[in-house]
Amino acid sequence: MKVHSLHVYPVKSLAGIEVSCFEMDDFGPKGDRRWMIVDEERRFVTQRELPVLARVSASLSAEGVSIRIPGEGDFTLQQTGQELRVLVWRDWVKALEGESFASEALSRFCGKTLRLVYMPDSSFRRVDAGHVSEYRRVGFADGFPFLITNLASLDELNGRLDAPVDMRRFRPNIVIEGPAPWQEDHWRKISVGEQCFSIVKPSSRCILTTVDPDTGLKDPGLQPLRALSGYRRTPDGVIFGQNAIHESPGVIHVDDSVTVIESE
């Protein structure tokens, strides 16, 4: 088994970036989901409510994170010193407000008043304590720093669909090739290159998987979520992929070997 692809998401719910390697820090993949979009009530906004966000791309450079907004142009994201509390799921978290230019352009594009905010190092949001007893941190990701998926599981799912979907629908960080479909359900600890990961929770999928990442439109038949619901429903929800935490900082690369250390 090996790493097929790696992905980072500098801004929560904007298009991801495929990379050849990434460094891991306390938060997870370095820079992953440290930026987020909030509404006028300082509550997080995602493609669940605004699927058109799929059309806003992000890029990384020496200057930091930039986003490209259709019809508005390119903007390098800069945080100000203005602190505010923002809500992501049930967590109120300290953040820094972003400069207004990108936020105003994003608001025009979406037709809704939005703000971009940044999670500084001094902010601490705990990984879901119901599944991880260690006092670990995470950025603005839904609950865990890593999502691991299996290429063969996507192929098996696509065999049930009228039109295949690609892995971008599921927004993984690490895509693995080599194991049989759904073998990832049984993993408890794996190594990727020289780095170890604990598999802590199956990933419950939502309506976001029905958004076409190229058009920002929802599938009228609610695929692939509807297909998954027919045979991948568990007490944890409709499952595709596994949430994970890393044991230490380090770097992983595409083509790194993957070994199952512990399984059920």
Side-chain angles (χ1 to χ4, degrees), residues 57-85:
S57 61
S59 60
L60 298 170
S61 69
E63 287 73 40
V65 178
S66 296
I67 62 173
R68 174 166 291 176
I69 305 172
E72 294 287 345
D74 296 348
F75 301 85
T76 299
L77 303 185
Q78 301 287 340
Q79 66 265 28
T80 69
Q82 180 65 45
E83 289 188 4
L84 70 164
R85 304 286 289 183

Side-chain angles (χ1 to χ4, degrees), residues 1 147-154 156-157 160 176 179-190 198-205 228 231-244 260 262-264:
M1 299 188 297
L147 176 64
I148 298 174
T149 62
N150 176 3
L151 197 63
S153 297
L154 178 66
E156 195 278 339
L157 169 63
R160 300 168 180 263
I176 294 173
W182 315 118
Q183 283 297 302
E184 66 274 20
D185 292 349
H186 307 288
W187 300 343
R188 292 299 171 261
K189 183 173 289 189
I190 66 171
S198 295
I199 310 300
V200 295
K201 180 184 176 296
S203 181
S204 177
R205 309 320 302 223
L228 283 170
Y231 73 116
R232 294 288 296 166
R233 186 176 294 278
T234 76
D236 289 306
V238 177
I239 301 305
F240 188 100
Q242 299 291 323
N243 291 296
V260 177
E262 181 182 335
S263 62
E264 66 175 19

Side-chain angles (χ1 to χ4, degrees), residues 51-116:
V52 71
L53 288 172
R55 296 177 54 207
V56 181
S57 61
S59 60
L60 298 170
S61 69
E63 287 73 40
V65 178
S66 296
I67 62 173
R68 174 166 291 176
I69 305 172
E72 294 287 345
D74 296 348
F75 301 85
T76 299
L77 303 185
Q78 301 287 340
Q79 66 265 28
T80 69
Q82 180 65 45
E83 289 188 4
L84 70 164
R85 304 286 289 183
V86 298
L87 183 66
V88 51
W89 294 110
R90 293 173 292 180
D91 301 327
W92 283 99
V93 183
K94 183 181 77 173
L96 297 177
E97 188 164 6
E99 291 187 345
S100 62
F101 302 106
S103 296
E104 291 168 356
L106 189 63
S107 298
R108 289 191 295 268
F109 175 68
C110 293
K112 179 182 177 70
T113 300
L114 302 169
R115 284 189 285 181
L116 285 146

